[in-house]
Amino acid sequence: KNEVEQSPQNLTAQEGEFITINCSYSVGISALHWLQQHPGGGIVSLFMLSSGKKKHGRLIATINIQEKHSSLHITASHPRDSAVYICAVGANTGNQFYFGTGTSLTVIP
Amino acid sequence: GAGVSQSPSNKVTEKGKDVELRCDPISGHTALYWYRQSLGQGLEFLIYFQGNSAPDKSGLPSDRFSAERTGGSVSTLTIQRTQQEDSAVYLCASSLAQGWGQYFGPGTRLTVT
């Protein structure tokens, strides 16, 4: 049983396309994180959110607490956006974190 | 300012040996997390420190794994009697407090031969 499910697992897009990555979770959460892992392995935290919507540049993250669902959108995608995007949730009981298996995004010029 | 640093960046050890992995969090961050990412798998939570509270060890896979955090700053993850299945990238992250965004270190790649 996976507490966090992401879709799609793999995604290839043409430069400029609008991209959506989805995350569903089954546990009560204190916060949801979107992480970016580049091919070199480094991990960057993109967003942490517990309600509503956040925007940073071309990236937008939304969360619906009632539906236990979050989406990460990338507008005007660029090859440098190619990375693995990981959804993670911090449970609201205890300190456990649960991670999705990631979405591998490739943006083709 | 300086981010989260980890050392060594790479470690190759023989099966059965003990290893220590170090994490230097961002100054002032009270929360510190250890994760690992095994080949072909996702991130796995290991242990969490918050200030001077007792750590949450619920993610440690076996009693061969332990971690400590001295003075609320530097943390060391120790793996005793390493096994080949311990081979993974071990990641450390810190945040201002629980519930705040986490900053990840570059990781330590452990290979057990």
Side-chain angles (χ1 to χ4, degrees), chain B:
Chain B
V4 177
S5 61
Q6 292 185 244
S7 60
S9 56
N10 282 283
K11 177 72 177 178
V12 180
T13 190
E14 292 179 353
K15 177 182 173 181
K17 295 285 180 66
D18 298 351
V19 294
E20 285 189 352
L21 311 179
R22 177 187 168 106
C23 171
D24 284 86
I26 293 173
S27 177
H29 281 196
T30 63
L32 187 147
Y33 307 80
W34 281 99
Y35 305 96
R36 73 175 176 182
Q37 187 170 35
S38 303
L39 186 62
Q41 299 192 18
L43 283 167
E44 177 187 2
F45 165 80
L46 297 177
I47 189 169
Y48 161 73
F49 295 89
Q50 173 60 59
N52 296 320
S53 303
D56 178 349
K57 305 178 182 180
S58 57
L60 294 179
S62 79
D63 59 8
R64 296 186 294 104
F65 287 72
S66 63
E68 61 177 25
R69 189 179 184 192
T70 54
S73 180
V74 172
S75 177
T76 303
L77 177 69
T78 301
I79 309 173
Q80 295 179 307
R81 305 180 302 281
T82 52
Q83 303 294 313
Q84 287 187 328
E85 61 263 28
D86 299 335
S87 296
V89 175
Y90 288 81
L91 291 154
C92 175
S94 72
S95 66
L96 273 174
Q98 184 188 18
W100 289 70
Q102 296 183 40
Y103 294 79
F104 283 81
T108 293
R109 182 175 297 278
L110 174 67
T111 303
V112 182
T113 60

Side-chain angles (χ1 to χ4, degrees), chain A residues 60-80:
Chain A
I60 303 166
T62 64
I63 187 169
N64 184 318
I65 297 295
Q66 287 72 32
E67 295 185 3
K68 294 189 174 180
H69 180 269
S70 175
S71 293
L72 176 68
H73 305 285
I74 305 175
T75 62
S77 59
H78 190 276
R80 64 175 174 266

Side-chain angles (χ1 to χ4, degrees), chain A residues 4-20:
Chain A
V4 180
E5 299 277 359
Q6 279 185 244
S7 64
Q9 285 190 325
N10 294 282
L11 181 58
T12 300
Q14 292 287 333
E15 182 173 358
E17 284 187 8
F18 180 85
I19 289 163
T20 295

Side-chain angles (χ1 to χ4, degrees), chain A residues 37 45 48 95-97 99, chain B residues 35 37 45 56 98-99 102:
Chain A
Q37 185 169 29
S45 178
M48 184 189 70
N95 299 309
Q96 269 279 14
F97 268 78
F99 295 86
Chain B
Y35 305 96
Q37 187 170 35
F45 165 80
D56 178 349
Q98 184 188 18
Q102 296 183 40

